[in-house]
Amino acid sequence: MIPLIQLLQTSALTEGAKRMAETDPHGWTLTLIAVTTVFSALVILFAIFTLVGKISMKMDERDTAPKPKKVRSSKAAAGEDEAVAAAIALALEAENGGEIPVAISTALAMYLGSGGVHDAEPFIITIKRKPTAWANPALNFRKNPVK
């Protein structure tokens, strides 16, 4: 083993290390180079991940953008529809009064789109599993034999 260490110490592999030890005995140059390399790599990775994240968010926004309804062509038409619904509701209330005009006006409001928006369902089914002996942690440990 000693001849191998002597061979490595005298070979060309250690010439660079010896030269570096002579020119920079405390190792500040090597430390500065190493720290600069690591932080440069981190900055580059941060920029790449940020760019990929922004591209991904733009693609998600484009995919999930609400589609415009074909019934209405502008906001003015939506305002007119709401005005018509309100006029019908007022006319029914003046004529009948009671629950029927409220039901009709609610139906009109929901049909014309000014009603409340229904919440989005996640469509996730949760299954609760029954505990069995297969998943019992007490039965999973191996019992050591007595010596």
Side-chain angles (χ1 to χ4, degrees):
M1 179 104 172
I2 294 175
L4 179 63
I5 294 173
Q6 289 175 352
L7 177 67
L8 287 176
Q9 288 177 352
T10 59
S11 70
L13 295 175
T14 59
E15 287 179 18
K18 287 179 183 177
R19 190 171 357 116
M20 190 68 178
E22 291 171 2
T23 57
D24 187 22
H26 297 291
W28 291 110
T29 305
L30 186 62
T31 302
L32 183 66
I33 291 171
V35 168
T36 305
T37 303
V38 169
F39 279 114
S40 299
L42 287 175
V43 168
I44 291 170
L45 285 174
F46 175 76
I48 290 172
F49 289 149
T50 304
L51 181 66
V52 169
K54 287 183 181 180
I55 291 171
S56 176
M57 292 297 286
K58 291 285 184 185
M59 291 177 70
D60 283 346
E61 287 176 3
R62 187 177 58 203
D63 291 343
T64 60
K67 305 286 190 256
K69 294 182 180 179
K70 294 180 182 177
V71 176
R72 289 184 218 134
S73 61
S74 67
K75 291 184 179 180
E80 291 173 6
D81 290 341
E82 291 175 2
V84 169
I88 292 172
L90 287 173
L92 285 173
E93 184 179 354
E95 184 178 319
N96 295 331
E99 300 163 354
I100 295 173
V102 173
I104 293 173
S105 62
T106 303
L108 281 171
M110 290 181 72
Y111 177 74
L112 295 175
S114 64
V117 177
H118 189 269
D119 58 337
E121 300 293 331
F123 299 110
I124 297 174
I125 298 174
T126 305
I127 300 173
K128 285 192 166 189
R129 298 177 188 253
K130 293 165 94 179
T132 63
W134 290 102
N136 189 355
L139 298 176
N140 287 339
F141 294 111
R142 185 175 177 186
K143 296 184 175 49
N144 293 330
V146 178
K147 292 185 180 182

